Amino acid sequence: MGEIPRQESAVMVVGGPTVVLDLGGLRIVSDPTFDDPGPHGYLTKVEGPAVGEDRLGPVDLVLVSHDVHPDNLDDRGRAFAQAAPLVLTTRGASERLGGGAVGLAAWESRSVPRPGGGELVVTAVPAVHGPEDGERDADGFVNCEVIGFVLEGAGLPTVHVSGDNASIRVVVQVARRFPAVDVAVLHAGAARVPGKFRDRPLSLDGVRTAAAAAILGAPRVVPAHYDGWAHFSEGADDLVRAFDEAGLSSRLHLAAHGAWVPLAD
């Protein structure tokens, strides 16, 4: 199978948290995970990617919400990121990844040149990887340092990629800073790890994913991070039910993994 042709403006969920964005002439991959199923320490991958990294062709930018959990950056995903010309990630992860990795603090931006001229502006946004009242480390992070991203540019839809966030408060902050999000790629799945934070979710569950969609006002919501790993406690059916009960079904875009979803009509 050959290289997947670039799209004008579309998003594809590959599996787990991994998303491909073709936007503004750039091919962008977020949280790359390309390993085969199997154990990764205390986590277990149960499904491989719908598309392998060898089919993505030259990638212009990789976004890594955090690097310390293998369900967001597994072994092949790490090698893929380290081979990319530019990686935007947390400050701590940039030191560990080295090479082309650039660390961003929350609300810090980086401009990426577009092939046809102009720029794509990527802004890091905060994320809380667990309950709001969860124990924080010395740097003030719950679980670990995590960021999400907002991507915007002249003539382009504004895209928010949440990273592993469980906090509605954070969603409100993002919505206030970016009141015109067109597409929200939200990490869902209600990830749970036994013994951590009393087994409470480390990412959005279905109800809070629908709430986040309503707060952001995004007309298109593309969930990721809801299958492929054993510690995800909710799946596609939970998302469909939550959006239906919230009256937001028309915003939910749950395409098969490996299929493109247009970012605009």
Side-chain angles (χ1 to χ4, degrees):
M1 301 177 72
E3 180 180 317
I4 296 173
R6 293 203 178 201
Q7 307 295 302
E8 182 176 345
S9 182
V11 58
M12 173 201 297
V13 178
V14 170
T18 307
V19 169
V20 181
L21 276 165
D22 281 0
L23 180 65
L26 301 168
R27 174 152 287 182
I28 304 160
V29 177
S30 67
D31 284 352
T33 54
F34 295 110
D35 285 2
D36 295 327
H40 282 266
Y42 64 91
L43 301 179
T44 300
K45 190 171 189 177
V46 295
E47 295 179 20
V51 174
E53 65 270 46
D54 57 328
R55 297 192 59 207
L56 296 182
V59 170
D60 302 291
L61 171 63
V62 172
L63 307 175
V64 176
S65 67
H66 61 299
D67 71 321
V68 295
H69 295 150
D71 60 314
N72 289 80
L73 193 68
D74 59 18
D75 295 336
R76 281 165 54 184
R78 185 176 297 271
F80 177 85
Q82 290 175 322
L86 176 62
V87 179
L88 298 181
T89 186
T90 67
R91 291 165 295 179
S94 69
E95 297 175 2
R96 291 183 288 269
L97 290 171
V102 175
L104 299 176
W107 311 122
E108 188 175 358
S109 298
R110 171 84 177 222
S111 294
V112 181
R114 293 165 56 182
E119 295 179 326
L120 177 74
V121 177
V122 181
T123 302
V125 298
V128 178
H129 196 2
E132 286 280 0
D133 63 352
E135 182 180 355
R136 295 179 181 264
D137 62 20
D139 296 312
F141 302 121
V142 174
N143 208 351
C144 65
E145 183 184 13
V146 183
I147 55 173
F149 306 91
V150 173
L151 298 80
E152 56 185 344
L156 300 177
T158 297
V159 180
H160 170 43
V161 182
S162 72
D164 284 11
N165 172 58
S167 169
I168 291 297
R169 175 185 59 82
V170 161
V171 177
V172 171
Q173 291 178 336
V174 173
R176 286 174 176 166
R177 295 271 190 137
F178 298 93
V181 171
D182 298 296
V183 180
V185 179
L186 300 179
H187 287 203
R192 301 174 195 267
V193 175
K196 183 172 283 190
F197 304 123
R198 305 201 316 270
D199 302 344
R200 291 179 291 171
L202 309 179
S203 59
L204 296 172
D205 60 14
V207 170
R208 281 182 286 178
T209 303
I215 293 165
L216 292 165
R220 292 176 191 242
V221 177
V222 180
H225 190 276
Y226 61 86
D227 63 2
W229 290 80
H231 63 294
F232 297 165
S233 66
E234 293 190 6
D237 290 345
D238 300 285
L239 288 162
V240 169
R241 181 170 56 254
F243 274 72
D244 177 55
E245 291 180 352
L248 299 173
S249 292
S250 64
R251 301 189 190 186
L252 182 65
H253 292 262
L254 265 173
H257 292 345
W260 289 107
V261 175
L263 296 178
D265 292 327

